């Protein structure tokens, strides 16, 4: 095996060789291309060192950003759910005669009704079912109903107004609701590759469990490496608590997690936790500002595991 000096320096004969002007010929004139390149780099003729250092840095960053966990939001991601939630709210309002009108009003007995435009705005600002109702009734007054002739005053009575969750469960159990395209395939692909899989939702735990059992099946649900609902954290999205907690439970660094969300509230939560996020938007969220997402899709039909790995590595290198 040749010594290192013979690979890096010209031979004695080559060193004695001179140019017509009497100056030593540059190393490139006397060496074969592979040895010429090594010599040029050694003697400082090559100008590729900064680029080489950049390539090494990029390779290190890509390695550090390997995908170790994929985290799904539930509502809007696993199923297109907002129209179902709105239906459940309005069904509950009608069933219990919920009205925010003062008792002396001469209005009809029509119950409270949230139309599509109002609900789209509400759900894009406030995460979770109970927080939505608390905010609305806090702004418009706690309602009367068939349960309460006068607006409830105690916290325990206010909690009784959460009838909507039960109605939502009934809708999910009906068998008419299907997962969004590509979700089940991608979940199976991730688990098959040994990558951790989680679901983090701002909804109540009972509601999310019902959703997952009916839409992804018991086997996939029981195979999740982490499952968190709104009940498991003190603050709801856009606060990052739920994703920070998930990373700890999964035992992975935030930078190695990739989140799938459908709304700017979820995107803000993921970014706040130091995680990259892709968006699969719905009709009610399509016009939101997703500039902080690393990719945006109408659904997951054409998104595979290798796509996600490359996206995460690229986001770390360029970020």
């Amino acid at each position: 095996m040749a010594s290192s000096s013979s690979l890096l320096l010209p031979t004695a004969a080559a060193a004695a060789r001179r140019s017509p002007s009497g100056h030593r010929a540059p190393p490139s004139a006397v060496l074969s291309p592979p040895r010429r390149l090594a010599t040029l780099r050694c003697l400082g003729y090559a100008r590729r060192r900064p680029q080489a250092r950049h390539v090494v840095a990029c390779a290190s960053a890509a390695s550090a950003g390997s995908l170790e966990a994929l985290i799904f939001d539930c509502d809007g991601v696993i199923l297109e759910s907002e129209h179902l939630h709105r239906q459940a709210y309005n069904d509950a309002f009608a069933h219990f005669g919920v009205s925010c009108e003062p008792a002396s009003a001469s209005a009809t007995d029509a119950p409270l009704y949230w139309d599509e435009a109002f609900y789209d705005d509400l759900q894009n600002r406030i995460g979770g079912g109970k927080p939505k109702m608390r905010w609305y009734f806090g702004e418009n007054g706690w309602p009367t109903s068939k349960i309460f002739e006068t607006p409830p005053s105690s916290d325990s009575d206010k909690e009784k107004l959460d009838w909507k969750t039960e109605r939502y469960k009934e809708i999910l159990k009906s068998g008419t609701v299907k997962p969004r395209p590509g979700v089940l395939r991608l979940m199976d692909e991730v688990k098959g590759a040994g990558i951790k899989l989680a679901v983090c939702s701002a909804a109540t735990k009972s509601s999310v469990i019902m959703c997952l059992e009916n839409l992804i099946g018991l086997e996939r649900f029981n195979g999740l490496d982490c499952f968190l609902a709104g009940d498991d954290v003190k603050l709801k999205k856009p606060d990052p608590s739920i994703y920070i907690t998930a990373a700890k439970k999964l035992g992975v660094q935030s930078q190695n997690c990739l989140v799938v969300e459908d709304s700017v509230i979820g995107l803000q939560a993921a970014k706040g936790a130091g995680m990259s996020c892709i968006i699969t938007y719905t009709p009610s969220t399509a016009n939101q500002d997703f500039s902080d997402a690393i990719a945006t899709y109408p659904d997951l039909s054409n998104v595979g595991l290798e796509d996600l790995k490359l996206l995460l590595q690229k986001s770390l290198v360029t970020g």
Side-chain angles (χ1 to χ4, degrees):
M1 180 175 178
S3 67
S4 59
S5 60
S6 67
L7 291 175
L8 298 176
L9 297 177
T11 64
R17 186 172 177 176
R18 304 281 177 169
S19 67
S21 63
H23 297 291
R24 189 183 303 276
S28 60
V30 296
L31 297 177
S32 62
R35 296 180 64 187
R36 180 188 311 153
L37 179 59
T39 303
L40 287 173
R41 287 178 174 169
C42 178
L43 298 181
Y45 287 89
R47 299 179 182 240
R48 295 184 178 269
R49 287 182 179 272
Q51 181 180 357
R53 285 195 297 269
H54 176 68
V55 170
V56 172
C58 288
S60 299
S63 176
S66 60
L67 180 61
E68 295 182 12
L70 183 64
I71 307 176
F72 283 82
D73 178 32
C74 186
D75 290 343
V77 173
I78 294 176
L79 77 160
E80 195 169 316
S81 58
E82 293 309 329
H83 68 290
L84 303 178
H85 282 291
R86 188 173 73 87
Q87 177 185 338
Y89 280 117
N90 287 330
D91 287 351
F93 295 155
H95 181 74
F96 291 98
V98 175
S99 175
C100 286
E101 296 291 338
S104 59
S106 58
T108 64
D109 294 331
L112 176 63
Y113 181 84
W114 287 349
D115 63 26
E116 185 174 350
F118 171 79
Y119 187 75
D120 281 351
D121 178 66
L122 179 63
Q123 68 96 7
N124 288 327
R125 289 190 291 119
I126 301 173
K130 290 181 180 179
K132 285 183 177 66
M133 288 194 292
R134 290 194 189 103
W135 177 87
Y136 182 85
F137 295 141
E139 291 289 314
N140 298 277
W142 286 85
T144 58
S145 65
K146 294 178 180 177
I147 296 179
F148 302 110
E149 293 183 0
T150 58
S153 56
S154 68
D155 289 340
S156 60
D157 283 346
K158 290 178 180 179
E159 286 293 320
K160 294 177 183 178
L161 291 175
D162 185 27
W163 316 293
K164 170 260 175 184
T165 299
E166 294 305 315
R167 175 56 184 149
Y168 182 67
K169 290 178 182 179
E170 291 176 2
I171 296 173
L172 290 179
K173 289 179 180 179
S174 68
T176 61
V177 183
K178 304 297 180 184
R180 292 191 70 191
V183 168
L184 300 185
R185 172 191 50 76
L186 187 56
M187 283 185 167
D188 292 344
E189 195 174 350
V190 167
K191 289 295 290 185
I195 294 171
K196 294 182 178 180
L197 183 65
V199 172
C200 293
S201 172
T204 60
K205 179 162 288 188
S206 60
S207 175
V208 182
I209 289 174
M210 180 65 62
C211 170
L212 296 178
E213 288 179 345
N214 282 274
L215 291 181
I216 71 173
L218 284 174
E219 184 175 352
R220 289 189 186 90
F221 176 57
N222 292 329
L224 293 174
D225 297 288
C226 176
F227 162 60
L228 294 174
D231 316 59
D232 296 313
V233 290
K234 292 182 178 180
L235 299 174
K236 303 293 191 292
K237 303 173 186 178
D239 186 272
S241 297
I242 196 166
Y243 288 127
I244 293 172
T245 303
K248 291 179 180 178
K249 287 184 173 293
L250 291 167
V252 299
Q253 297 294 317
S254 294
Q255 68 185 33
N256 294 333
C257 298
L258 183 60
V259 176
V260 188
E261 277 281 359
D262 71 301
S263 70
V264 71
I265 287 178
L267 173 60
Q268 290 168 350
K271 295 293 288 184
M275 298 179 182
S276 297
C277 180
I278 68 168
I279 293 292
T280 57
Y281 55 83
T282 66
S284 64
T285 65
N287 295 324
Q288 295 182 9
D289 179 8
F290 296 131
S291 56
D292 284 337
I294 63 173
T296 304
Y297 304 100
D299 58 50
L300 295 171
S301 296
N302 298 312
V303 181
L305 177 57
E306 291 304 314
D307 300 316
L308 300 184
K309 289 180 178 179
L310 291 173
L311 283 169
L312 183 61
Q313 291 180 355
K314 182 180 178 181
S315 72
L316 186 64
V317 170
T318 59

